[in-house]
Structures are given as structure tokens and as C-alpha cells.
């Protein structure tokens, strides 16, 4: 059984917060972020826009990449987002979301 794993970054409307995560289902993870509990970071800061993602075949590679990105300064993360998404558009519209 083949799986795809994703490293992703999300932000809020003002692009103040940049959340980095890893998942094996980007659609499901976005659904959970949209319905986050009140005490979660994504709910507190209204993080609801997918601005970057990478695909991996190996979960270890995805986890290592997530850890690498999380150690970076904000300017380097911003530059990475802008390589794929220079206008910081919400990329979730490109996904097939069934919710």
C-alpha cells in the first residue's frame, strides 16, 4: 500500500502566524485544523490558509523535513513559501476537500 506524506505550512489572514506540520492526509488534516478546539494554536490564531506543502513517499523523510523547517528563522520559512506561492494564496482550493 502506497502512501503520500506531506509537510505543510498554514497561516492566518494577516500572515502573522506560520504553522508547520506533517500528515499522511492533507485533506483530513485541513479538516481538523478547521474544526480545532479553542485551546489549540490554529484556533487561537485563526490559522486557516494552506500556503505551502511538499509530498514525500517515506514518512521518516517527511518528519525530518518538518523538523528541519521548524528550526528555521521566519525569513527563511517565508522565502520557502514564496518559491511555490509568491502571493501567499490559500492552496487548499487546489485540493479535493469533501467537507
Amino acid at each position: 500500500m502506497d502512501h503520500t506524506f506531506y509537510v505543510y505550512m498554514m497561516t492566518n489572514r494577516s500572515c502573522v502566524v506560520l504553522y508547520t506540520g506533517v500528515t499522511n492526509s492533507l485533506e483530513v488534516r485541513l479538516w481538523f485544523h478547521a474544526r480545532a478546539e479553542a485551546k489549540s494554536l490554529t484556533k487561537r490564531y485563526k490559522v486557516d490558509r494552506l500556503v505551502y506543502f511538499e509530498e514525500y513517499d517515506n514518512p521518516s523523510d517527511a518528519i525530518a523535513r518538518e523538523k528541519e523547517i521548524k528550526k528555521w528563522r521566519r525569513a527563511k520559512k517565508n522565502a520557502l513559501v514564496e518559491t511555490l506561492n509568491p502571493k501567499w494564496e490559500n492552496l487548499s482550493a487546489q485540493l479535493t476537500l469533501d467537507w
Side-chain angles (χ1 to χ4, degrees), residues 14-83:
S14 60
C15 298
V16 172
V17 176
L18 191 57
Y19 176 88
T20 304
V22 65
T23 185
N24 66 345
S25 176
L26 202 47
E27 293 87 353
V28 171
R29 179 57 72 196
L30 292 173
W31 184 87
F32 277 107
H33 281 303
R35 284 146 187 80
E37 293 183 21
K39 293 183 180 181
S40 73
L41 179 136
T42 55
K43 185 71 164 189
R44 188 175 342 137
Y45 293 102
K46 299 179 182 172
V47 174
D48 62 354
R49 289 159 171 49
L50 176 69
V51 292
Y52 182 85
F53 65 93
E54 300 174 353
E55 297 181 10
Y56 292 87
D57 295 327
N58 183 316
S60 298
D61 293 342
I63 292 167
R65 179 65 166 163
E66 177 203 24
K67 288 180 180 182
E68 175 187 17
I69 291 171
K70 283 185 171 186
K71 291 179 184 177
W72 292 355
R73 294 186 184 274
R74 178 62 189 256
K76 190 170 180 178
K77 292 177 187 180
N78 289 353
L80 180 62
V81 169
E82 290 168 2
T83 62

